[in-house]
Amino acid sequence: MQIQDLPFPDPGVPDARSGPRFLWWLGRNQLGGQLKALAWGLLHFVAVSGLPFCVGLAVQAVVDHSGTRLAQAGGLMVLCGTGIAVGDMMLHRTAVTNWIVAAARVQQLLARRTAQLGSALTRRVAAGEVVAVSTGDVEKIGWFVEALSRFAAAALTVVLVCIGLVVYQPALGIVVAVGVPVLALAVLPLLPRATRRADLQREKAGRATELASDTVAGLRVLRGIGGEELFLDRYRRASQEVRRAAVRSARMWALISAIQTLLPGLLMVAVIWHGVHLARDGRITVGELVTVYSAVMLLAYPLRHFEEIAMAYSFSRPSAKRAARVLALERITDTAGSRDAVVPTGDLYDPATGLLAPLGLLTAVVCGDPDAAGVLAERLGGHATAEEASASVLLGGIPLDELPLGSARTAVLVQDKDPVLLSGSLRELLDVPSSGEVGAAEALAAAQCGDVLDALAQGSLDAEDPMDARITERGRSLSGGQRQRLALARSLKTDPEVLVLDEPTSAVDSHTEARVADGVRSLRTGRTTVVFTSSPLLLDQADRVVLVDEGEVAAVGVHRELVHSEPRYRAVVTRETDDETAAGTAKPREIDSPHGVGALEEREIDALEELEELEGIEETA
């Protein structure tokens, strides 16, 4: 696999049972790249290890005054130099390719898992952890995957050099063959402690990342309540804990590096001391002593990869564990589904609550608990998790869980209460899969985005068309209401069979809310729309209003009937307190209305009068 071939058509099914199993799975899936890196690594390391033999041959040729053998030694040096250059270049190229491919595979797996789970993901894993896995952790995982082949090449080279020295000069070769394994294994007792410290550092860094992500996401609210200093102080303390953990981890790795430097030096001293005695006794030549000395000196180079693989594994293991934890999350049903890839039509029905949204009507759902409303909205779109598993939502009598994921998402679109706007132009924002029956201009008009277009045009002076105006990351340059209306326009343009909106106008003023309600109703005529809201202006536009209380449908009707007949509904819509609801202290009064309204709650009157005023303005216009 080459870098230019990314992304993968199919990244595969990961072994997410544990971090080490996930690393092993990644290595097996890049076996071709690993073997290439191993081959180039062997060429490089063997060429490096061949230099001592060339040096020893040249020294002995000089001692023997042999020009022929000196020329041969020079030719072998040129050959080894060429092998070192070519092997190092291709090893680096292949290793970096392995690194990038492994990281890209993990990111692609994470992106697919996120798309499959939808908004249910953040209810099971913190958003900061997902960010940490998809950014810093993938680099550490890729580091271990690419270091594995270089370590294998270094280990094979060390074995070959030891065997070669034993054959070339047994008296000194045995000393090297016994000493090198000691060098390689000397740091093993320190690795568990180093691994634990690295794990602790990564854990604290992950917590700090989560805290920073949550703080940035809620910065507008924090500034509103004057709490930014409190959270900044919490982040300072978290970052200092990360620094202290990193220093403790670095000390352990410094000790390991010191041992890896000290022991080869001691081995070299032992080899020289023993070799000098052998040369003085005439048992070895000067060239053989130089060869063995140079070989021991250069062995420190491949031995360094033993330390690197230990460090790479220590840092990548917790990263792989976090990635495996995210990738192990599953939907209730298989994403392929058990039915054909069709987009059904008909009534939307939830057996768990008894909620029914008839075909072609605007159904408003009122829940006393906003969190329960969000969970129910996601469930209607097939985003439920195993913890919320029950009978599947039906669309036209067909269970959504039995449809392929793509068909289910095409049939039912859920817009949650906190939609995300990606950076880019407005045209790119509205470039979404759609039926083609609703244009961008119609969707923007229905969502009352005229002022948003003006604001974007003023902020992008180089854009002649407002559709080419740039939107900053997450739409931070826009107000909450403007972001909400742009997200609503994007959902309207998609034009799904069923559109589920969770509090789509919670951040807009009442005048705009009334116009948005009318625009959504007009544009979605003949399509099934479900709106979770407690706003009287939206509820008054609904063909059907359903009250869901304690996980079940408690009442069904229209807004102006339910506000009289159902106390629980009135308590949610008019924001009555529990004491008022229990005591029945809210006094209705009679008003005259073109809608034929009788006795209404006082808190409801202002909203209705405002709606009637808007309707009168529109009729006059």
Side-chain angles (χ1 to χ4, degrees):
M1 188 71 181
Q2 299 298 320
I3 294 177
Q4 60 263 31
D5 297 326
L6 294 174
F8 292 97
D10 181 11
V13 179
D15 186 348
R17 288 176 290 177
S18 66
R21 288 179 181 272
F22 180 60
L23 290 174
W24 175 247
W25 178 83
L26 280 175
R28 285 191 292 108
N29 276 269
Q30 290 182 222
L31 189 58
Q34 296 285 357
L35 292 176
K36 287 181 182 178
L38 177 61
W40 291 118
L42 281 174
L43 173 62
H44 174 65
F45 289 126
V46 169
V48 170
S49 302
L51 284 177
F53 176 75
C54 299
V55 172
L57 185 62
V59 170
Q60 192 61 41
V62 172
V63 172
D64 297 340
H65 303 286
S66 175
T68 302
R69 281 187 291 163
L70 185 61
Q72 291 174 349
L76 288 175
M77 283 185 178
V78 171
L79 185 61
C80 287
T82 304
I84 292 172
V86 174
D88 189 30
M89 177 184 67
M90 296 306 298
L91 172 62
H92 179 74
R93 178 186 179 91
T94 310
V96 170
T97 299
N98 288 339
W99 187 335
I100 294 175
V101 168
R105 187 190 295 272
V106 177
Q107 286 183 324
Q108 194 171 344
L109 287 168
L110 289 169
R112 290 198 175 193
R113 186 66 55 178
T114 301
Q116 289 171 0
L117 293 173
S119 56
L121 175 65
T122 53
R123 298 205 305 273
R124 305 170 68 181
V125 179
E129 182 169 355
V130 178
V131 172
V133 172
S134 59
T135 52
D137 284 338
V138 295
E139 293 188 4
K140 293 176 175 60
I141 292 171
W143 176 28
F144 174 76
V145 171
E146 70 89 11
L148 193 59
S149 55
R150 288 191 288 111
F151 164 72
L156 285 175
T157 302
V158 170
V159 172
L160 291 174
V161 169
C162 289
I163 294 174
L165 288 178
V166 170
V167 173
Y168 177 71
Q169 178 44 251
L172 290 177
I174 292 175
V175 176
V176 177
V178 172
V180 167
V182 174
L183 299 182
L185 302 177
V187 297
L188 282 182
L190 299 177
L191 289 180
R193 184 178 297 180
T195 301
R196 287 195 298 270
R197 292 190 179 185
D199 289 351
L200 180 62
Q201 178 196 349
R202 296 301 305 158
E203 180 183 350
K204 291 184 178 295
R207 290 176 183 172
T209 301
E210 292 177 19
L211 180 60
S213 176
D214 294 341
T215 302
V216 171
L219 191 57
R220 184 187 296 270
V221 177
L222 290 176
R223 285 176 175 169
I225 62 176
E228 62 266 34
E229 285 300 326
L230 173 64
F231 276 80
L232 283 174
D233 185 59
R234 288 179 58 189
Y235 182 73
R236 288 190 190 100
R237 291 198 300 270
S239 64
Q240 288 302 311
E241 290 181 5
V242 174
R243 182 188 63 80
R244 287 190 290 270
V247 169
R248 294 184 72 245
S249 178
R251 285 173 180 167
M252 183 56 64
W253 289 112
L255 177 60
I256 292 174
S257 296
I259 293 174
Q260 293 257 316
T261 302
L262 175 64
L263 293 184
L266 294 177
L267 177 61
M268 190 178 300
V269 171
V271 168
I272 294 174
W273 180 82
H274 185 52
V276 167
H277 283 78
L278 293 176
R280 190 167 53 188
D281 295 339
R283 296 170 59 185
I284 64 173
T285 64
V286 175
E288 290 173 337
L289 176 60
V290 172
T291 298
V292 176
Y293 163 76
S294 302
V296 173
M297 182 178 64
L298 290 178
L299 271 179
Y301 174 51
L303 282 173
R304 281 289 178 183
H305 290 77
F306 286 71
E307 176 190 348
E308 182 191 12
I309 194 65
M311 184 180 293
Y313 179 73
S314 298
F315 278 89
S316 65
R317 190 173 64 87
S319 297
K321 182 180 178 181
R322 277 195 295 271
R325 185 164 59 245
V326 175
L327 294 174
L329 300 176
E330 297 286 348
R331 295 182 73 246
I332 299 174
T333 57
D334 183 13
T335 57
S338 58
R339 293 177 178 263
D340 295 334
V342 297
V343 180
T345 60
D347 298 342
L348 183 69
Y349 177 66
D350 178 25
T353 59
L355 173 63
L356 174 67
L359 174 66
L361 298 184
L362 173 59
T363 302
V365 181
V366 176
C367 291
D369 182 1
D371 293 333
V375 171
L376 178 55
E378 292 166 359
R379 175 175 161 73
L380 292 179
H383 297 284
T385 61
E387 293 81 359
E388 304 150 3
S390 57
S392 173
V393 173
L394 306 177
L395 179 59
I398 299 177
L400 283 181
D401 287 349
E402 296 181 7
L403 291 173
L405 185 59
S407 299
R409 297 277 172 87
T410 301
V412 183
L413 174 66
V414 179
Q415 176 182 304
D416 62 21
K417 65 182 65 178
D418 188 24
V420 175
L421 303 181
L422 301 179
S423 59
S425 67
L426 181 58
R427 193 184 308 279
E428 292 170 341
L429 176 70
L430 298 178
D431 184 16
V432 293
S434 63
S435 65
E437 297 180 9
V438 177
E442 297 173 273
L444 290 168
Q448 303 299 312
C449 293
D451 63 315
V452 184
L453 294 177
D454 294 339
L456 289 174
Q458 292 175 2
S460 301
L461 300 179
D462 56 337
E464 298 180 359
D465 188 345
M467 294 294 292
D468 296 324
R470 302 293 297 178
I471 298 175
T472 58
E473 181 186 1
R474 298 179 67 92
R476 298 190 189 280
S477 61
L478 303 173
S479 68
Q482 290 173 328
R483 290 197 300 269
Q484 204 170 51
R485 281 177 283 152
L486 278 182
L488 176 59
R490 179 177 57 188
S491 299
L492 293 174
K493 185 178 183 296
T494 302
D495 190 34
E497 282 293 325
V498 179
L499 177 60
V500 180
L501 304 172
D502 187 7
E503 294 290 354
T505 57
S506 59
V508 302
D509 61 83
S510 56
H511 290 274
T512 306
E513 186 177 31
R515 292 194 293 268
V516 169
D518 185 64
V520 171
R521 179 182 177 85
S522 300
L523 191 64
R524 293 288 298 173
T525 300
R527 292 285 202 181
T528 306
T529 308
V530 181
V531 181
F532 287 81
T533 184
S534 59
S535 166
L537 297 173
L538 281 174
L539 294 169
D540 196 57
Q541 290 284 351
D543 300 305
R544 195 167 183 267
V545 179
V546 179
L547 171 65
V548 177
D549 185 50
E550 296 183 356
E552 295 182 354
V553 171
V556 179
V558 294
H559 169 61
R560 302 187 185 221
E561 293 176 355
L562 291 175
V563 79
H564 289 290
S565 61
E566 180 52 61
R568 289 172 295 181
Y569 177 83
R570 184 168 58 250
V572 175
V573 173
T574 63
R575 277 67 168 178
E576 285 182 357
T577 65
D578 294 338
D579 293 339
E580 290 174 334
T581 303
T585 55
K587 302 297 184 182
R589 61 184 174 91
E590 296 287 334
I591 64 168
D592 294 327
S593 158
H595 300 284
V597 181
L600 289 177
E601 295 291 341
E602 291 184 5
R603 294 175 183 172
E604 187 77 354
I605 293 172
D606 294 337
L608 285 174
E609 288 178 347
E610 190 173 359
L611 176 62
E612 291 163 2
E613 179 183 349
L614 289 170
E615 290 175 348
I617 293 173
E618 291 176 356
E619 290 174 0
T620 303

